[in-house]
Amino acid sequence: MLALTACADGDAPEPPGAAAPGTPAAADAASGAAGSAPAGGSTPVSANELCAYLDGQLPTLRGIGSETGAMANLTVNLYSWYEKQGAVPTGRQIDDQTRQECPATRTEVLELAGMESFERL
């Protein structure tokens, strides 16, 4: 599962660009639901969109030159991309989509990042 953690100080001022109180994004952040998969575990991003995104990431991942660096880059960029799409699926959901739609891309991305599965993210 993709997961990023951060510490927050409840009295700290909002960073520039933060969601205004009362907006859906602010409500999600307050409830801890930001970045979670939607109910029922469905993913709003199609396998085709995911595969196109991963294809576009291959040159960057190849250029990094280390599995650890590629894994870090993939984790941050994939999580950020999914957040912009509206939901972050589980690693298993990403595995299922890429196995069906773009197995060759999936294999190369995982090899570059030194992983056997997206569940490791």
Side-chain angles (χ1 to χ4, degrees):
M1 174 185 275
L2 296 175
L4 296 177
T5 59
C7 297
D9 181 354
D11 296 329
E14 289 294 323
T23 64
D28 285 349
S31 70
S36 61
S42 64
T43 55
V45 176
S46 74
N48 192 31
E49 290 172 303
L50 171 58
C51 290
Y53 174 78
L54 292 174
D55 280 333
Q57 292 300 299
L58 281 172
T60 300
L61 296 174
R62 288 180 192 127
I64 291 173
S66 80
E67 289 178 349
T68 303
M71 180 191 223
N73 180 282
L74 179 64
T75 300
V76 171
N77 289 340
L78 189 59
Y79 180 85
S80 297
W81 180 75
Y82 268 120
E83 267 200 328
K84 291 175 187 173
Q85 310 304 314
V88 179
T90 66
R92 178 169 288 176
Q93 290 168 318
I94 297 170
D95 281 332
D96 290 345
Q97 285 185 310
T98 55
R99 274 188 194 109
Q100 292 177 347
E101 186 68 28
C102 54
T105 297
R106 175 186 186 276
T107 298
E108 186 172 358
V109 167
L110 292 175
E111 284 177 0
L112 289 168
M115 302 183 316
E116 294 179 15
S117 166
F118 284 100
E119 288 187 68
R120 181 150 182 226
L121 295 180

